[in-house]
Amino acid sequence: LTLLQTCALSLLVFTGASQFALVGALAGGGNPFTAAAGAFFLGTRNAFYGLRLSQLLALPRSAKPFAAQWVIDETTAVALAQPDRRSARIGFTVTGLTLYVLWNLTTLLGALGAEAIGDTAAWGLDAAGPAVFLALLAPMLRTATERATAGVAAVLGLGLLPVLPAGVPVLVSALAAPAVLWLQGRRTRNKEAAR
């Protein structure tokens, strides 16, 4: 991406996982539409965060479109950890503003300094994004269903990587959740029928 494209991506798509997915798919030679679709689907989890935060924060209607830009993992976690609505609003706003400014500043610095790094493949930096994402995800996998979903998604994504265009395995791995839930429901029905 050009410097302008890189900065615009961080300004408009304020969710790291989606940005990494988009750039990774494009760098792997993926179709831009497929890459954008993968990034979009990764970002849809923020809509679910938004549903919960909308109730918790109870912001004025005019503020909601601006607040929606800051609905990410970190702002949600900070807001939900607060004891009351006022603290939740402050936590959400301070976390959102701080991260948004720092994310975009470091994006600009990174884009300007990327040439100084040289060949990123030699540094293994292509594994840094997924490693950070896995480190953030692992502690959140508490139930067997959550761990099974993550495992199936990883197997689908990695297994299809060599045979599908870049970006498509991420989309297909999203099928892990409904597949695991369907199997779990079927197993529960079979146990109930056996009684």
Side-chain angles (χ1 to χ4, degrees):
L1 300 177
T2 66
L3 175 65
L4 182 60
Q5 290 170 328
T6 302
C7 291
L9 181 61
S10 281
L11 286 167
L12 301 173
V13 183
F14 183 51
T15 170
S18 294
Q19 288 185 30
F20 291 136
L22 177 75
V23 172
L26 291 175
N31 179 305
F33 295 109
T34 305
F40 172 80
F41 284 116
L42 277 173
T44 57
R45 74 181 187 287
N46 295 344
F48 295 105
Y49 296 161
L51 292 172
R52 177 64 182 104
L53 288 176
S54 179
Q55 297 169 349
L56 175 66
L57 301 176
L59 296 172
R61 176 173 249 147
S62 59
K64 286 183 179 182
F66 301 103
Q69 178 69 358
W70 289 350
V71 175
I72 57 173
D73 301 333
E74 295 84 354
T75 56
T76 301
V78 169
L80 292 175
Q82 302 312 310
D84 56 55
R85 177 168 285 144
R86 181 177 181 278
S87 299
R89 284 180 172 179
I90 292 169
F92 176 84
T93 303
V94 170
T95 304
L97 177 64
T98 303
L99 290 175
Y100 190 74
V101 168
L102 290 175
W103 183 264
N104 284 286
L105 180 62
T106 55
T107 296
L108 174 64
L109 293 174
L112 289 172
E115 293 298 319
I117 294 175
D119 181 15
T120 55
W123 292 84
L125 295 177
D126 53 337
V132 169
F133 187 72
L134 288 174
L136 291 171
L137 178 66
M140 296 169 50
L141 301 175
R142 294 187 180 108
T143 68
T145 302
E146 291 168 347
R147 288 189 293 273
T149 302
V152 171
V155 168
L156 282 172
L158 293 173
L160 296 173
L161 199 57
V163 295
L164 292 177
V168 176
V170 171
L171 297 175
V172 175
S173 67
L175 297 174
V180 168
L181 292 174
W182 178 79
L183 286 171
Q184 184 181 35
R186 188 170 181 213
R187 187 173 37 192
T188 302
R189 283 190 301 277
N190 288 342
K191 284 181 183 177
E192 290 173 0
R195 289 182 192 173

